[in-house]
Amino acid sequence: MPQLCASLEDVRAAAERIAPFAHRTPVLTSTGLDRIADTALFFKCENFQRVGAFKFRGAMNAVAKLSQTELARGVATHSSGNHAAALALAGRTRGAGAFIVMPETAPAVKRRAVAGYGAEITFCEPTLDARESALEQLLDERGCTPIHPYNHSDVIAGQGTAALELLDEVPDLDTVVAPVGGGGLLSGTAITASELAEGTRVLGAEPAGADDAYRSLAEGKILPSVEPRTIADGLLTALGELTFPILQERVESIVRVDDEAIVRAMRLVWERMKILIEPSAAVPLAAVLENRESFRGRRVGIILSGGNVDLDRLPWAQ
Amino acid sequence: MPQLCASLEDVRAAAERIAPFAHRTPVLTSTGLDRIADTALFFKCENFQRVGAFKFRGAMNAVAKLSQTELARGVATHSSGNHAAALALAGRTRGAGAFIVMPETAPAVKRRAVAGYGAEITFCEPTLDARESALEQLLDERGCTPIHPYNHSDVIAGQGTAALELLDEVPDLDTVVAPVGGGGLLSGTAITASELAEGTRVLGAEPAGADDAYRSLAEGKILPSVEPRTIADGLLTALGELTFPILQERVESIVRVDDEAIVRAMRLVWERMKILIEPSAAVPLAAVLENRESFRGRRVGIILSGGNVDLDRLPWAQ
């Protein structure tokens, strides 16, 4: 068995490290959804996490491990999504400046969120090249520490703390399903579940229009995410060098679902559970509902990854 | 002090009676909303209650007290809202048929909800007269028991169990705010808080466009609700003979807020807490936010009364 970048011990240490800052989110159930799915579902509500997404766990764990010297120089990343807000808040929590590279096309609502947590934003053209070179420049100029959104062992260990809390509260799960984009959350979940609860299988759930993780595992190498098209805007990126081998070893399979199923699942959660989740967070429930026979009668944990949606642009509005 | 229709002992008995059927809903807090309101807010989440509203508590308590003979004849009410769904489910829980009179103008989504809980619906013209005579006919023909949505001592005692749980979890509240329509929830809240937590003041929150409770208390007699106009569709009715004297004696004041403030408060809860609440449930927070100075630095309990909204017609959509 190859040496993985993070272990259950790292996840436990991360849990202790972030405890003063992160919420222990509730695990909710719904009789109505159990009846619809014909299985017992346990929802780990990371939409209630700080900044509205699990991303705060990983960012906080990474920032909490930095030295005073590193904190004084600040942290940096390129992101237009939940990781940017998470890193901004994690930095502020420890008195570190956060420098975020964002494409100039990022929606105003996301700029405001990141700026609201006190980060300094550098805008660039909306290409990966432009984002990476803008980040490089920041690192050179300021000597700040880059915190990658998923290809970072402390981030992976931090994301695993959601599954740790879920399995602490509901130990006897047959299956845990998490969404997969870059693979940080799914890696952390897989490490935790496979070491803590032998016999609990871990599945990834991925939009059919951004199925690079599915194809990467099928081909045995990391494939890029080429022109992904999905409403699940948190799941567009490719796997990383660190996350790929963890998924290879510990994830039973990746289940793909189309956008219509994702929107249906998202709306069901809103209507039945009265909670807001973003499209990316609905992908695991969509995977269960589209494959009922393989989940029937089981006890299934689902990581609801986040709840940041633009209320003026809901996916079912015409 | 006049004899009230329900006491703290009745509320405690109701709590025990409904415990096997109702959810003990969580009390949630939000750092972000506390900062905005400059006070400490404790939200009792009845949007997570069965049927999505506190109404299940009162209906269940009333149904649970019926004899086998009464249960066999069924229960009845006229309502197009949450009480209809609550009575339908409470009836089904005890094996009693539920007969609901609804105006033929009731939206399809509400008909389906009530029918989905197994109730038999009688449609009538959308006037109070037509509703009452259709209900009378049902009672005559079937001998079933009418369960009024608020002017019923067992219903009032049942609604009080939400405040009982809230004060059990957060005993040291300065203030509890509940919305007021017919006054069932506010009466139950006032009985519970005034007897359980002396010194905790109870406020009602009412839409300015349906302010009959405010005017009734000012004039010392029950005034009808004439052509109410508000987005808070659960708060349109007038007070009843049973609820009015309880509010007179135990509620410090009724705070009125306009629809714009209600929609702003509703959206804030969605965005910051990631939970769905209906417009009526946002009225107490709107009352706090529109009168910040009088709540500053306090510990305020808020009853989020329900979460049943039509996701295709959100109040901020144009």
Side-chain angles (χ1 to χ4, degrees):
Chain A
M1 194 178 284
Q3 184 67 36
L4 296 179
C5 69
S7 67
L8 180 59
E9 284 322 297
D10 296 319
V11 176
R12 287 195 200 278
E16 205 163 307
R17 206 173 283 122
I18 70 174
F21 312 108
H23 294 318
R24 184 181 172 109
T25 56
V27 177
L28 297 184
T29 58
S30 161
T31 319
L33 287 182
D34 281 0
R35 200 175 308 121
I36 290 169
D38 200 10
T39 190
L41 300 168
F42 299 86
F43 295 93
K44 178 66 173 168
C45 291
E46 290 298 296
N47 52 334
F48 295 157
Q49 187 51 265
R50 296 189 77 184
V51 314
F54 74 93
K55 293 277 187 184
F56 182 70
R57 296 176 180 270
M60 190 68 237
N61 186 47
V63 170
K65 286 185 75 176
L66 298 181
S67 68
Q68 285 304 323
T69 313
E70 289 168 317
L71 290 173
R73 289 187 189 140
V75 290
T77 196
H78 64 78
S79 161
S80 60
N82 288 328
H83 176 64
L87 188 61
L89 178 60
R92 190 173 75 180
T93 302
R94 301 283 292 168
F99 302 92
I100 311 291
V101 175
M102 277 185 135
E104 55 203 12
T105 52
V109 59
K110 294 202 168 177
R111 299 179 189 196
R112 274 200 303 274
V114 171
Y117 290 117
E120 193 172 302
I121 303 175
T122 303
F123 291 104
C124 69
E125 288 187 27
T127 66
L128 187 58
D129 273 0
R131 288 163 65 150
E132 284 180 346
S133 69
L135 179 60
E136 279 307 320
Q137 201 181 330
L138 265 178
L139 302 181
D140 283 353
E141 284 173 14
R142 301 193 167 265
C144 49
T145 304
I147 308 288
H148 193 278
Y150 52 90
N151 209 37
H152 187 302
S153 57
D154 298 327
V155 171
I156 292 170
Q159 317 304 30
T161 61
L164 189 69
E165 291 173 7
L166 171 62
L167 287 161
D168 177 52
E169 205 160 323
V170 193
D172 54 343
L173 294 174
D174 301 311
T175 310
V176 178
V177 195
V180 57
L185 176 64
L186 185 56
S187 295
T189 302
I191 289 166
T192 305
S194 63
E195 295 194 25
L196 193 69
E198 251 184 287
T200 299
R201 63 178 181 157
V202 175
L203 302 178
E206 191 173 40
D211 67 345
D212 57 284
Y214 174 87
R215 290 183 292 106
S216 296
L217 288 179
E219 294 211 12
K221 63 176 185 192
I222 301 175
L223 298 177
S225 176
V226 183
E227 295 188 26
R229 290 179 68 91
T230 172
I231 189 145
D233 59 342
L235 306 177
L236 303 178
T237 46
L239 299 177
E241 310 269 313
L242 295 185
T243 56
F244 176 67
I246 301 173
L247 305 198
Q248 270 194 312
E249 193 181 305
R250 315 234 168 175
V251 168
E252 187 177 291
S253 63
I254 308 276
V255 182
R256 295 174 297 175
V257 283
D258 64 29
D259 274 16
E260 280 179 31
I262 294 169
V263 173
R264 269 198 307 275
M266 175 176 166
R267 186 164 173 149
L268 260 181
V269 167
W270 284 46
E271 289 181 341
R272 297 296 180 128
M273 298 181 68
K274 311 296 180 192
I275 61 176
L276 271 72
I277 60 168
E278 58 189 78
S280 304
V283 179
L285 177 61
V288 171
L289 293 176
E290 295 293 297
N291 299 278
R292 272 166 230 230
E293 57 300 335
S294 70
F295 292 95
R296 182 160 293 140
R298 290 180 177 270
R299 293 170 66 79
V300 180
I302 282 181
I303 316 267
L304 292 179
S305 49
N308 293 322
V309 279
D310 183 345
L311 291 178
D312 293 316
R313 293 163 166 268
L314 295 177
W316 46 78
Q318 293 309 323
Chain B
M1 192 178 287
Q3 185 67 36
L4 296 179
C5 69
S7 66
L8 180 59
E9 285 322 297
D10 295 320
V11 176
R12 287 195 200 279
E16 206 162 306
R17 206 172 284 123
I18 70 174
F21 312 108
H23 293 319
R24 184 180 173 109
T25 55
V27 177
L28 296 184
T29 58
S30 161
T31 318
L33 287 181
D34 282 359
R35 201 174 309 120
I36 290 168
D38 200 8
T39 190
L41 301 168
F42 299 85
F43 295 93
K44 178 64 173 170
C45 291
E46 290 300 296
N47 53 333
F48 295 157
Q49 188 50 265
R50 295 189 77 183
V51 314
F54 74 93
K55 293 276 186 184
F56 182 69
R57 296 177 180 270
M60 190 67 235
N61 186 47
V63 170
K65 286 185 75 176
L66 298 180
S67 68
Q68 284 305 323
T69 313
E70 289 168 316
L71 290 173
R73 290 188 189 140
V75 290
T77 197
H78 64 78
S79 161
S80 60
N82 288 328
H83 176 64
L87 188 62
L89 178 59
R92 190 174 75 182
T93 303
R94 302 283 293 169
F99 302 91
I100 311 290
V101 175
M102 277 183 135
E104 54 203 13
T105 52
V109 60
K110 296 203 167 175
R111 300 180 189 195
R112 275 199 304 274
V114 172
Y117 290 117
E120 193 173 300
I121 303 175
T122 304
F123 292 104
C124 69
E125 289 188 26
T127 67
L128 187 59
D129 273 0
R131 287 163 66 151
E132 284 180 345
S133 69
L135 180 60
E136 279 306 320
Q137 201 181 330
L138 266 176
L139 302 181
D140 283 353
E141 283 172 14
R142 301 193 168 266
C144 47
T145 303
I147 308 288
H148 192 277
Y150 52 89
N151 209 38
H152 187 303
S153 56
D154 298 329
V155 171
I156 292 170
Q159 318 303 32
T161 60
L164 189 68
E165 292 173 6
L166 171 61
L167 287 162
D168 177 52
E169 205 160 322
V170 193
D172 55 343
L173 294 175
D174 301 311
T175 310
V176 178
V177 195
V180 57
L185 177 64
L186 185 56
S187 295
T189 302
I191 289 166
T192 305
S194 61
E195 297 195 23
L196 192 68
E198 250 183 287
T200 299
R201 63 178 179 157
V202 175
L203 302 179
E206 190 173 40
D211 67 346
D212 57 282
Y214 174 87
R215 290 183 292 107
S216 297
L217 288 178
E219 295 212 12
K221 64 176 185 192
I222 301 175
L223 297 178
S225 176
V226 182
E227 295 187 25
R229 290 179 68 92
T230 172
I231 189 146
D233 59 343
L235 306 177
L236 303 178
T237 46
L239 298 177
E241 309 270 313
L242 296 184
T243 56
F244 175 67
I246 302 174
L247 305 198
Q248 268 194 313
E249 193 179 306
R250 315 235 168 173
V251 168
E252 187 177 290
S253 64
I254 307 276
V255 182
R256 294 174 296 175
V257 282
D258 64 30
D259 275 16
E260 279 180 30
I262 295 169
V263 173
R264 270 198 307 274
M266 176 177 166
R267 185 164 174 150
L268 261 181
V269 167
W270 284 46
E271 289 181 340
R272 296 296 179 129
M273 299 181 67
K274 310 296 182 192
I275 61 176
L276 271 72
I277 61 168
E278 58 190 78
S280 304
V283 179
L285 177 61
V288 171
L289 293 176
E290 295 295 297
N291 299 277
R292 271 165 232 230
E293 57 301 334
S294 70
F295 293 95
R296 182 161 292 141
R298 292 180 177 270
R299 293 169 65 78
V300 180
I302 281 181
I303 316 267
L304 292 179
S305 49
N308 293 322
V309 279
D310 183 345
L311 291 177
D312 293 316
R313 294 164 165 267
L314 294 177
W316 46 78
Q318 294 308 321

